[in-house]
Every structure is written in C-alpha cells, then in structure tokens.
Amino acid sequence: MDHLLESTLGRPSTVNLSNIYGIGKTSLELLEATGFHDVESIANAGVDELHRELERANSMLKIAKRNPSRAAVEKWIGMARDVVGEPDEPEEPEVSVLPAVDFERSPEVAPLLAAAPLAIPLPSKVLMGSQLKVSEIPAGILLNHYSGDLDVKVEERLPRARQPRQVAASGYVRLADPSAQRLAIDTSKIRSIEDMGEPLLKAPAVKASPANDRVALLRAPRTATNEGRDPESRWYIRGVLHSHPFSLAIGAVMTLLVMLVFPLSMVSVALLFLSAEMPERFAWVPGWLLGIPVTLPLCGIAYLIWGLSGSCRICGQKLFVHRSHLKNSRAHRVKGLGYILPLCFHLLVFRWFRCTHCGTPVRLKE
C-alpha cells in the first residue's frame, strides 16, 4: 500500500478510484452515481457530506446491499488526501449568511401551498431512465426558513367553475334549466296505500305450458309416484329423470349377466374338461353345462351395445365401465363387490341410483 501511494504522488490524475484500498466494484458504482469520479473529488469532500450522499443514492438506486459505514468513508477520504497531498480538513471560504425569511406567509405563495399541500417524491426509475445523478438534483427549499432572494412564480391551473347554461325562451314556452335542483317534495300529493283501495285490474293467472311441465318433470318425479312412501327410505324415487331409462335398464341387466355368466363359464369349462378326461370320477357333471359358455359371447355382444352406452345424465361418465379414479363418497358400494354390481342392483330394484362419479341422483321413473 505504501508503495502504491509513493508511486502515485505527483500524478493524482492517473490514480483510479478502484486502486484505493476498500473501494470495490459496488462502492465504485455508488461513488460514480453520486458524482465522485476521481480522487480529487473524494479528497475535497467532507466525511459527513460524502457519507450522507452515498446513503441517499443507495436508498434510491439500490446499488449496494448495505450502505457503506462512516469509518470506511473516512478511510477513503484519508487515502485520497494522501494521494493528492491535501490537508485533512480543507479550509472553507467564509460565506456571508443572510437573514432567513418566511416565504410561506407571502400572499403569492399561500394560495399555492393551499392547493398543493403535499410534495410527490421523484421515483428512482425516473432518475435511471433520464440518466440523472443524485448530485445533479437540487435540494428542496424550505419556504418558511430561506436565506436570500427567492423568485416565486405562481400559475393558476385550477379548473374554473362551470357556468350555468343560459336558458333560452321561445315565444310563450320557456325551457327548463337542467342545472336547477329540486329542493323539496310536495307532500300534499303523496297518498298512502290504504287510500288507493282495491286495484282496478287484476293480473291474469299464468297457466303452465307443456314445456314448463316437461322441465318440472325432469327435475322431480310426479306426486303420485312417491305417494305413501317414506322420503328417508330407498324406495322413495328421487333425482333427475334420465333421457333413456329403458336402455339404461337393459344395460344394467346385461352387465349383471356378464358378471354372472363369465365366472360360471370358467367353472363349466373346467368341469366339462375333467368329465371328459376322468369320466369315472366326474360322471355326475351334466352335459347342459355347455350352454353356459355358449351364452357368454351373446351376453358380451349385448353388453357392448347397451352396457357401454349407459352414462350419467349429468356428468356423462360411463356407469357400467370400471375406471380407476376417486369415486364419489355417496356412490353405491359393497365391500368386496366394488361399485358396478351394487349400482346395477340399486338401479333395477329401486328405479333410481346415484352416479358413481358425480354423486347426482338419477331416476328411471317419471
């Protein structure tokens, strides 16, 4: 460090700020943002003044994560003064202090302050977009304690009061003034409901149209359908009417047949095979069991036609097809049998069901 100082004495203009110990890249950007570009400007600055300017610039531009300490700023100024060879405390010229004047009581400034009592701070984006430095922005003036002459320019920019429109008169007709407001209500013209009496005209009764009856039937069954039934029992038919109840019932029957015939066909084929291989031990197996495997393809075709087409009226999901997803908490389910078999049984017996996917009640009976 001493070697650096000795090599730069006499040539202060060739020393960069980055060569001063303790001034890093971030501190260098912060110094340049405040207007200190060379060693001479730092050497001529005061410690408190430079520290205050750096804090102000960093609070607006957010260059460094934290403000430089006063001790660090004092070391920078000391090293800069060692390079340029100036004393630690430069002599300040004597300035004649003029008496302070309170301009807020001026008849020209008072209306201006009353119209704009608040000052809007200058955003940091404006400084960066205009490439302005903090040092280039003049400090605010305290009008109630200012020394020297002050040139105050007051400009009236307040909107003028709207003048009432002139009312024109044409012959014996005088146009009303739209700006005039009604100040009071004439209570002599107010009548109570009792004074009005019976209405002269009665509204005709609205007759329900067939379209309205159809919509009501889709939403709820007929009154005679649930007459004498307990609303809390399963025999109480509820829900939205399905658009194809007959096809849905056939699909449920075909699904039950497939679920029943498939395991019986497997057992029948096994018994018939054992009776053919060991007739002495399986002579009791009847020959008509062959008809069960034969009916399996027929049931499968019927399931493909009606079973796969059965869907919910609300969500449109397939009812008789297994899907591995989270089922509705109110869906029909029997432990060990799953969801499809209880759904088909409930649909055929009680003539209504809850959708396995959305849980909406759907009925097959009007």
Side-chain angles (χ1 to χ4, degrees):
M1 185 66 192
D2 296 339
H3 176 71
L4 175 64
L5 295 176
E6 292 175 1
S7 61
T8 56
L9 288 174
R11 294 177 299 156
S13 61
T14 61
V15 179
N16 296 327
L17 292 178
S18 59
N19 294 333
I20 297 179
Y21 179 77
I23 299 180
K25 183 179 180 181
T26 305
S27 301
L28 181 61
E29 294 180 0
L30 192 58
L31 287 170
E32 291 180 352
T34 53
F36 295 89
H37 300 279
D38 48 17
V39 181
E40 291 86 348
S41 59
I42 297 179
N44 295 328
V47 178
D48 296 331
E49 175 191 358
L50 181 56
H51 184 253
R52 184 171 55 255
E53 291 294 330
L54 293 177
E55 286 185 346
R56 183 185 304 174
N58 192 34
S59 63
M60 299 178 63
L61 303 179
K62 306 296 182 182
I63 297 176
K65 294 183 178 180
R66 62 182 63 182
N67 297 326
S69 61
R70 188 183 185 280
V73 175
E74 188 176 1
K75 289 182 180 180
W76 298 348
I77 294 176
M79 294 179 184
R81 290 175 179 175
D82 292 340
V83 172
V84 263
E86 294 187 3
D88 294 341
E89 297 293 338
E91 296 181 358
E92 298 181 357
E94 295 183 358
V95 180
S96 57
V97 180
L98 298 177
V101 181
D102 187 3
F103 286 94
E104 292 186 359
R105 297 185 179 181
S106 174
E108 296 179 353
V109 179
L112 177 64
L113 296 178
L118 300 177
I120 301 176
L122 188 64
S124 58
K125 293 183 179 180
V126 177
L127 296 177
M128 299 177 65
S130 304
Q131 297 181 355
L132 295 176
K133 301 177 184 178
V134 180
S135 59
E136 297 176 355
I137 301 175
I141 300 174
L142 298 178
L143 297 178
N144 61 349
H145 190 79
Y146 183 76
S147 301
D149 297 333
L150 180 64
D151 186 10
V152 179
K153 295 182 179 180
V154 180
E155 182 179 355
E156 183 180 358
R157 294 186 179 182
L158 296 178
R160 296 182 179 180
R162 187 175 181 180
Q163 300 294 334
R165 191 175 61 178
Q166 297 294 334
V167 180
S170 176
Y172 295 98
V173 180
R174 180 177 177 84
L175 300 180
D177 186 3
S179 61
Q181 298 181 357
R182 183 177 296 178
L183 301 179
I185 299 176
D186 189 4
T187 57
S188 61
K189 297 181 180 181
I190 299 177
R191 299 176 62 187
S192 62
I193 299 177
E194 290 78 6
D195 298 337
M196 297 296 295
E198 294 293 333
L200 299 178
L201 298 177
K202 294 185 178 180
V206 179
K207 296 183 179 180
S209 62
N212 294 335
D213 291 341
R214 181 60 182 170
V215 173
L217 185 60
L218 291 176
R219 295 178 179 177
R222 302 183 189 276
T223 307
T225 302
N226 289 322
E227 187 176 358
R229 298 184 181 184
D230 184 10
E232 300 298 331
S233 65
R234 293 182 180 271
W235 295 102
Y236 191 86
I237 299 176
R238 68 201 69 189
V240 182
L241 181 63
H242 199 276
S243 57
H244 301 86
F246 182 74
S247 300
L248 193 65
I250 295 179
V253 173
M254 294 299 105
T255 304
L256 289 176
L257 287 177
V258 170
M259 298 179 68
L260 180 62
V261 172
F262 183 77
L264 291 178
S265 300
M266 298 296 102
V267 174
S268 301
V269 170
L271 291 176
L272 292 173
F273 178 78
L274 292 175
S275 65
E277 294 294 330
M278 296 178 287
E280 65 281 356
R281 297 183 59 181
F282 292 91
W284 56 270
V285 177
W288 56 265
L289 288 178
L290 184 61
I292 298 178
V294 174
T295 58
L296 181 61
L298 299 178
C299 294
I301 294 174
Y303 171 75
L304 294 177
I305 297 174
W306 287 285
L308 294 182
S309 61
S311 60
C312 176
R313 176 68 185 271
I314 304 302
C315 64
Q317 297 291 332
K318 302 295 182 181
L319 296 173
F320 309 124
V321 179
H322 174 72
R323 293 188 62 187
S324 57
H325 67 85
L326 186 63
K327 307 298 189 299
N328 193 276
S329 60
R330 306 180 68 181
H332 307 293
R333 177 179 180 271
V334 176
K335 190 174 183 181
L337 298 180
Y339 292 90
I340 297 179
L341 184 61
L343 173 65
C344 296
F345 178 79
H346 198 282
L347 183 149
L348 295 174
V349 174
F350 301 106
R351 308 297 294 170
W352 72 277
F353 66 94
R354 289 190 181 275
C355 177
T356 309
H357 311 281
C358 64
T360 305
V362 182
R363 72 181 193 277
L364 277 68
K365 192 174 181 181
E366 293 185 356

PDB file of all heavy atoms in Angstrom, residues 242-244 247-248 306-320 347 353 355 357 362:
ATOM      1  N   HIS A 242     -83.722 -39.639 -16.252  1.00  0.00           N
ATOM      2  CA  HIS A 242     -82.754 -39.994 -17.290  1.00  0.00           C
ATOM      3  C   HIS A 242     -83.413 -39.886 -18.661  1.00  0.00           C
ATOM      4  O   HIS A 242     -84.614 -40.123 -18.825  1.00  0.00           O
ATOM      5  CB  HIS A 242     -82.218 -41.405 -17.050  1.00  0.00           C
ATOM      6  CG  HIS A 242     -80.930 -41.665 -17.758  1.00  0.00           C
ATOM      7  ND1 HIS A 242     -80.863 -42.056 -19.076  1.00  0.00           N
ATOM      8  CD2 HIS A 242     -79.650 -41.590 -17.325  1.00  0.00           C
ATOM      9  CE1 HIS A 242     -79.601 -42.216 -19.426  1.00  0.00           C
ATOM     10  NE2 HIS A 242     -78.837 -41.937 -18.378  1.00  0.00           N
ATOM     11  N   SER A 243     -82.620 -39.520 -19.660  1.00  0.00           N
ATOM     12  CA  SER A 243     -83.166 -39.345 -21.011  1.00  0.00           C
ATOM     13  C   SER A 243     -83.491 -40.672 -21.681  1.00  0.00           C
ATOM     14  O   SER A 243     -84.369 -40.736 -22.546  1.00  0.00           O
ATOM     15  CB  SER A 243     -82.168 -38.552 -21.865  1.00  0.00           C
ATOM     16  OG  SER A 243     -80.910 -39.213 -21.886  1.00  0.00           O
ATOM     17  N   HIS A 244     -82.795 -41.782 -21.325  1.00  0.00           N
ATOM     18  CA  HIS A 244     -83.034 -43.102 -21.913  1.00  0.00           C
ATOM     19  C   HIS A 244     -83.122 -44.134 -20.789  1.00  0.00           C
ATOM     20  O   HIS A 244     -82.190 -44.925 -20.582  1.00  0.00           O
ATOM     21  CB  HIS A 244     -81.931 -43.479 -22.905  1.00  0.00           C
ATOM     22  CG  HIS A 244     -81.787 -42.515 -24.041  1.00  0.00           C
ATOM     23  ND1 HIS A 244     -81.013 -41.366 -23.949  1.00  0.00           N
ATOM     24  CD2 HIS A 244     -82.346 -42.499 -25.292  1.00  0.00           C
ATOM     25  CE1 HIS A 244     -81.070 -40.716 -25.093  1.00  0.00           C
ATOM     26  NE2 HIS A 244     -81.874 -41.372 -25.923  1.00  0.00           N
ATOM     27  N   SER A 247     -83.078 -48.032 -22.074  1.00  0.00           N
ATOM     28  CA  SER A 247     -81.749 -48.501 -22.497  1.00  0.00           C
ATOM     29  C   SER A 247     -80.809 -48.643 -21.311  1.00  0.00           C
ATOM     30  O   SER A 247     -79.983 -49.567 -21.272  1.00  0.00           O
ATOM     31  CB  SER A 247     -81.159 -47.529 -23.519  1.00  0.00           C
ATOM     32  OG  SER A 247     -81.996 -47.430 -24.653  1.00  0.00           O
ATOM     33  N   LEU A 248     -80.949 -47.756 -20.336  1.00  0.00           N
ATOM     34  CA  LEU A 248     -80.093 -47.838 -19.154  1.00  0.00           C
ATOM     35  C   LEU A 248     -80.425 -49.088 -18.329  1.00  0.00           C
ATOM     36  O   LEU A 248     -79.525 -49.743 -17.805  1.00  0.00           O
ATOM     37  CB  LEU A 248     -80.255 -46.581 -18.310  1.00  0.00           C
ATOM     38  CG  LEU A 248     -79.207 -46.367 -17.212  1.00  0.00           C
ATOM     39  CD1 LEU A 248     -77.843 -46.146 -17.819  1.00  0.00           C
ATOM     40  CD2 LEU A 248     -79.574 -45.180 -16.336  1.00  0.00           C
ATOM     41  N   TRP A 306     -75.521 -52.154 -25.133  1.00  0.00           N
ATOM     42  CA  TRP A 306     -76.260 -51.363 -24.136  1.00  0.00           C
ATOM     43  C   TRP A 306     -75.434 -50.997 -22.906  1.00  0.00           C
ATOM     44  O   TRP A 306     -75.633 -49.943 -22.330  1.00  0.00           O
ATOM     45  CB  TRP A 306     -77.493 -52.162 -23.674  1.00  0.00           C
ATOM     46  CG  TRP A 306     -78.572 -52.220 -24.706  1.00  0.00           C
ATOM     47  CD1 TRP A 306     -79.413 -51.210 -25.048  1.00  0.00           C
ATOM     48  CD2 TRP A 306     -78.920 -53.332 -25.521  1.00  0.00           C
ATOM     49  NE1 TRP A 306     -80.295 -51.619 -26.026  1.00  0.00           N
ATOM     50  CE2 TRP A 306     -80.011 -52.944 -26.341  1.00  0.00           C
ATOM     51  CE3 TRP A 306     -78.432 -54.647 -25.655  1.00  0.00           C
ATOM     52  CZ2 TRP A 306     -80.603 -53.790 -27.266  1.00  0.00           C
ATOM     53  CZ3 TRP A 306     -79.033 -55.489 -26.571  1.00  0.00           C
ATOM     54  CH2 TRP A 306     -80.099 -55.066 -27.368  1.00  0.00           C
ATOM     55  N   GLY A 307     -74.537 -51.870 -22.519  1.00  0.00           N
ATOM     56  CA  GLY A 307     -73.764 -51.594 -21.303  1.00  0.00           C
ATOM     57  C   GLY A 307     -72.780 -50.453 -21.464  1.00  0.00           C
ATOM     58  O   GLY A 307     -72.675 -49.572 -20.599  1.00  0.00           O
ATOM     59  N   LEU A 308     -72.048 -50.425 -22.580  1.00  0.00           N
ATOM     60  CA  LEU A 308     -71.057 -49.353 -22.776  1.00  0.00           C
ATOM     61  C   LEU A 308     -71.705 -48.012 -23.066  1.00  0.00           C
ATOM     62  O   LEU A 308     -71.074 -46.965 -22.876  1.00  0.00           O
ATOM     63  CB  LEU A 308     -70.116 -49.726 -23.923  1.00  0.00           C
ATOM     64  CG  LEU A 308     -69.203 -50.931 -23.688  1.00  0.00           C
ATOM     65  CD1 LEU A 308     -68.291 -51.144 -24.885  1.00  0.00           C
ATOM     66  CD2 LEU A 308     -68.368 -50.746 -22.424  1.00  0.00           C
ATOM     67  N   SER A 309     -72.954 -48.024 -23.543  1.00  0.00           N
ATOM     68  CA  SER A 309     -73.617 -46.747 -23.844  1.00  0.00           C
ATOM     69  C   SER A 309     -74.300 -46.133 -22.625  1.00  0.00           C
ATOM     70  O   SER A 309     -74.761 -44.986 -22.695  1.00  0.00           O
ATOM     71  CB  SER A 309     -74.656 -46.952 -24.947  1.00  0.00           C
ATOM     72  OG  SER A 309     -75.655 -47.882 -24.531  1.00  0.00           O
ATOM     73  N   GLY A 310     -74.417 -46.880 -21.527  1.00  0.00           N
ATOM     74  CA  GLY A 310     -75.054 -46.331 -20.339  1.00  0.00           C
ATOM     75  C   GLY A 310     -74.181 -45.291 -19.656  1.00  0.00           C
ATOM     76  O   GLY A 310     -73.055 -45.588 -19.233  1.00  0.00           O
ATOM     77  N   SER A 311     -74.680 -44.083 -19.557  1.00  0.00           N
ATOM     78  CA  SER A 311     -73.902 -42.984 -18.974  1.00  0.00           C
ATOM     79  C   SER A 311     -74.803 -42.141 -18.084  1.00  0.00           C
ATOM     80  O   SER A 311     -76.025 -42.217 -18.141  1.00  0.00           O
ATOM     81  CB  SER A 311     -73.283 -42.112 -20.066  1.00  0.00           C
ATOM     82  OG  SER A 311     -74.290 -41.560 -20.893  1.00  0.00           O
ATOM     83  N   CYS A 312     -74.170 -41.294 -17.265  1.00  0.00           N
ATOM     84  CA  CYS A 312     -74.892 -40.418 -16.350  1.00  0.00           C
ATOM     85  C   CYS A 312     -75.529 -39.261 -17.115  1.00  0.00           C
ATOM     86  O   CYS A 312     -74.954 -38.746 -18.079  1.00  0.00           O
ATOM     87  CB  CYS A 312     -73.943 -39.894 -15.274  1.00  0.00           C
ATOM     88  SG  CYS A 312     -74.685 -38.705 -14.146  1.00  0.00           S
ATOM     89  N   ARG A 313     -76.705 -38.839 -16.695  1.00  0.00           N
ATOM     90  CA  ARG A 313     -77.405 -37.733 -17.349  1.00  0.00           C
ATOM     91  C   ARG A 313     -76.713 -36.411 -17.075  1.00  0.00           C
ATOM     92  O   ARG A 313     -76.775 -35.479 -17.892  1.00  0.00           O
ATOM     93  CB  ARG A 313     -78.848 -37.682 -16.829  1.00  0.00           C
ATOM     94  CG  ARG A 313     -79.674 -36.503 -17.359  1.00  0.00           C
ATOM     95  CD  ARG A 313     -79.940 -36.664 -18.829  1.00  0.00           C
ATOM     96  NE  ARG A 313     -80.621 -35.509 -19.388  1.00  0.00           N
ATOM     97  CZ  ARG A 313     -81.951 -35.361 -19.434  1.00  0.00           C
ATOM     98  NH1 ARG A 313     -82.731 -36.297 -18.931  1.00  0.00           N
ATOM     99  NH2 ARG A 313     -82.486 -34.298 -19.987  1.00  0.00           N
ATOM    100  N   ILE A 314     -75.997 -36.310 -15.972  1.00  0.00           N
ATOM    101  CA  ILE A 314     -75.404 -35.033 -15.561  1.00  0.00           C
ATOM    102  C   ILE A 314     -73.962 -34.906 -16.045  1.00  0.00           C
ATOM    103  O   ILE A 314     -73.622 -33.983 -16.788  1.00  0.00           O
ATOM    104  CB  ILE A 314     -75.486 -34.869 -14.035  1.00  0.00           C
ATOM    105  CG1 ILE A 314     -76.932 -35.005 -13.551  1.00  0.00           C
ATOM    106  CG2 ILE A 314     -74.912 -33.526 -13.619  1.00  0.00           C
ATOM    107  CD1 ILE A 314     -77.894 -34.040 -14.166  1.00  0.00           C
ATOM    108  N   CYS A 315     -73.084 -35.834 -15.621  1.00  0.00           N
ATOM    109  CA  CYS A 315     -71.657 -35.706 -15.943  1.00  0.00           C
ATOM    110  C   CYS A 315     -71.257 -36.429 -17.214  1.00  0.00           C
ATOM    111  O   CYS A 315     -70.160 -36.193 -17.742  1.00  0.00           O
ATOM    112  CB  CYS A 315     -70.803 -36.210 -14.772  1.00  0.00           C
ATOM    113  SG  CYS A 315     -71.015 -37.976 -14.416  1.00  0.00           S
ATOM    114  N   GLY A 316     -72.115 -37.353 -17.731  1.00  0.00           N
ATOM    115  CA  GLY A 316     -71.809 -38.053 -18.972  1.00  0.00           C
ATOM    116  C   GLY A 316     -70.793 -39.169 -18.840  1.00  0.00           C
ATOM    117  O   GLY A 316     -70.353 -39.710 -19.864  1.00  0.00           O
ATOM    118  N   GLN A 317     -70.402 -39.558 -17.629  1.00  0.00           N
ATOM    119  CA  GLN A 317     -69.430 -40.633 -17.432  1.00  0.00           C
ATOM    120  C   GLN A 317     -70.104 -41.994 -17.604  1.00  0.00           C
ATOM    121  O   GLN A 317     -71.295 -42.163 -17.327  1.00  0.00           O
ATOM    122  CB  GLN A 317     -68.799 -40.538 -16.045  1.00  0.00           C
ATOM    123  CG  GLN A 317     -67.988 -39.268 -15.816  1.00  0.00           C
ATOM    124  CD  GLN A 317     -66.728 -39.245 -16.651  1.00  0.00           C
ATOM    125  OE1 GLN A 317     -66.168 -40.277 -17.003  1.00  0.00           O
ATOM    126  NE2 GLN A 317     -66.260 -38.051 -16.979  1.00  0.00           N
ATOM    127  N   LYS A 318     -69.316 -42.989 -18.081  1.00  0.00           N
ATOM    128  CA  LYS A 318     -69.827 -44.341 -18.243  1.00  0.00           C
ATOM    129  C   LYS A 318     -70.114 -44.953 -16.878  1.00  0.00           C
ATOM    130  O   LYS A 318     -69.290 -44.891 -15.970  1.00  0.00           O
ATOM    131  CB  LYS A 318     -68.814 -45.201 -18.999  1.00  0.00           C
ATOM    132  CG  LYS A 318     -68.445 -44.667 -20.381  1.00  0.00           C
ATOM    133  CD  LYS A 318     -69.640 -44.697 -21.318  1.00  0.00           C
ATOM    134  CE  LYS A 318     -69.259 -44.213 -22.718  1.00  0.00           C
ATOM    135  NZ  LYS A 318     -70.416 -44.203 -23.638  1.00  0.00           N
ATOM    136  N   LEU A 319     -71.306 -45.584 -16.770  1.00  0.00           N
ATOM    137  CA  LEU A 319     -71.728 -46.134 -15.481  1.00  0.00           C
ATOM    138  C   LEU A 319     -71.320 -47.589 -15.297  1.00  0.00           C
ATOM    139  O   LEU A 319     -71.028 -48.015 -14.177  1.00  0.00           O
ATOM    140  CB  LEU A 319     -73.252 -46.012 -15.337  1.00  0.00           C
ATOM    141  CG  LEU A 319     -73.815 -44.589 -15.300  1.00  0.00           C
ATOM    142  CD1 LEU A 319     -75.332 -44.622 -15.322  1.00  0.00           C
ATOM    143  CD2 LEU A 319     -73.322 -43.844 -14.062  1.00  0.00           C
ATOM    144  N   PHE A 320     -71.277 -48.376 -16.364  1.00  0.00           N
ATOM    145  CA  PHE A 320     -71.037 -49.811 -16.265  1.00  0.00           C
ATOM    146  C   PHE A 320     -69.647 -50.190 -16.748  1.00  0.00           C
ATOM    147  O   PHE A 320     -69.413 -51.325 -17.158  1.00  0.00           O
ATOM    148  CB  PHE A 320     -72.102 -50.574 -17.073  1.00  0.00           C
ATOM    149  CG  PHE A 320     -73.502 -50.168 -16.740  1.00  0.00           C
ATOM    150  CD1 PHE A 320     -74.372 -49.724 -17.728  1.00  0.00           C
ATOM    151  CD2 PHE A 320     -73.961 -50.204 -15.435  1.00  0.00           C
ATOM    152  CE1 PHE A 320     -75.662 -49.341 -17.422  1.00  0.00           C
ATOM    153  CE2 PHE A 320     -75.253 -49.809 -15.114  1.00  0.00           C
ATOM    154  CZ  PHE A 320     -76.100 -49.368 -16.102  1.00  0.00           C
ATOM    155  N   LEU A 347     -80.265 -49.811  -9.249  1.00  0.00           N
ATOM    156  CA  LEU A 347     -80.978 -49.208 -10.378  1.00  0.00           C
ATOM    157  C   LEU A 347     -82.193 -50.038 -10.758  1.00  0.00           C
ATOM    158  O   LEU A 347     -83.278 -49.498 -11.022  1.00  0.00           O
ATOM    159  CB  LEU A 347     -80.009 -49.080 -11.557  1.00  0.00           C
ATOM    160  CG  LEU A 347     -80.481 -48.412 -12.843  1.00  0.00           C
ATOM    161  CD1 LEU A 347     -79.290 -47.722 -13.519  1.00  0.00           C
ATOM    162  CD2 LEU A 347     -81.069 -49.432 -13.817  1.00  0.00           C
ATOM    163  N   PHE A 353     -80.766 -44.227  -8.838  1.00  0.00           N
ATOM    164  CA  PHE A 353     -79.389 -44.501  -8.404  1.00  0.00           C
ATOM    165  C   PHE A 353     -78.649 -43.186  -8.246  1.00  0.00           C
ATOM    166  O   PHE A 353     -79.112 -42.128  -8.690  1.00  0.00           O
ATOM    167  CB  PHE A 353     -78.670 -45.395  -9.421  1.00  0.00           C
ATOM    168  CG  PHE A 353     -78.454 -44.751 -10.761  1.00  0.00           C
ATOM    169  CD1 PHE A 353     -77.264 -44.100 -11.058  1.00  0.00           C
ATOM    170  CD2 PHE A 353     -79.462 -44.757 -11.723  1.00  0.00           C
ATOM    171  CE1 PHE A 353     -77.068 -43.501 -12.290  1.00  0.00           C
ATOM    172  CE2 PHE A 353     -79.274 -44.147 -12.953  1.00  0.00           C
ATOM    173  CZ  PHE A 353     -78.080 -43.512 -13.234  1.00  0.00           C
ATOM    174  N   CYS A 355     -74.987 -41.444  -9.204  1.00  0.00           N
ATOM    175  CA  CYS A 355     -73.862 -41.616 -10.126  1.00  0.00           C
ATOM    176  C   CYS A 355     -72.586 -41.910  -9.344  1.00  0.00           C
ATOM    177  O   CYS A 355     -72.287 -41.265  -8.332  1.00  0.00           O
ATOM    178  CB  CYS A 355     -73.697 -40.372 -10.993  1.00  0.00           C
ATOM    179  SG  CYS A 355     -72.283 -40.450 -12.123  1.00  0.00           S
ATOM    180  N   HIS A 357     -69.617 -41.284 -10.231  1.00  0.00           N
ATOM    181  CA  HIS A 357     -68.587 -40.281 -10.466  1.00  0.00           C
ATOM    182  C   HIS A 357     -68.941 -38.921  -9.853  1.00  0.00           C
ATOM    183  O   HIS A 357     -68.117 -38.313  -9.172  1.00  0.00           O
ATOM    184  CB  HIS A 357     -68.343 -40.141 -11.972  1.00  0.00           C
ATOM    185  CG  HIS A 357     -68.135 -41.447 -12.661  1.00  0.00           C
ATOM    186  ND1 HIS A 357     -66.947 -42.123 -12.631  1.00  0.00           N
ATOM    187  CD2 HIS A 357     -68.998 -42.207 -13.398  1.00  0.00           C
ATOM    188  CE1 HIS A 357     -67.065 -43.249 -13.319  1.00  0.00           C
ATOM    189  NE2 HIS A 357     -68.293 -43.321 -13.816  1.00  0.00           N
ATOM    190  N   VAL A 362     -80.160 -39.923 -10.019  1.00  0.00           N
ATOM    191  CA  VAL A 362     -80.812 -40.016 -11.334  1.00  0.00           C
ATOM    192  C   VAL A 362     -81.879 -41.100 -11.227  1.00  0.00           C
ATOM    193  O   VAL A 362     -81.627 -42.182 -10.678  1.00  0.00           O
ATOM    194  CB  VAL A 362     -79.802 -40.350 -12.441  1.00  0.00           C
ATOM    195  CG1 VAL A 362     -80.494 -40.405 -13.802  1.00  0.00           C
ATOM    196  CG2 VAL A 362     -78.671 -39.314 -12.464  1.00  0.00           C
TER     197      VAL A 362
END
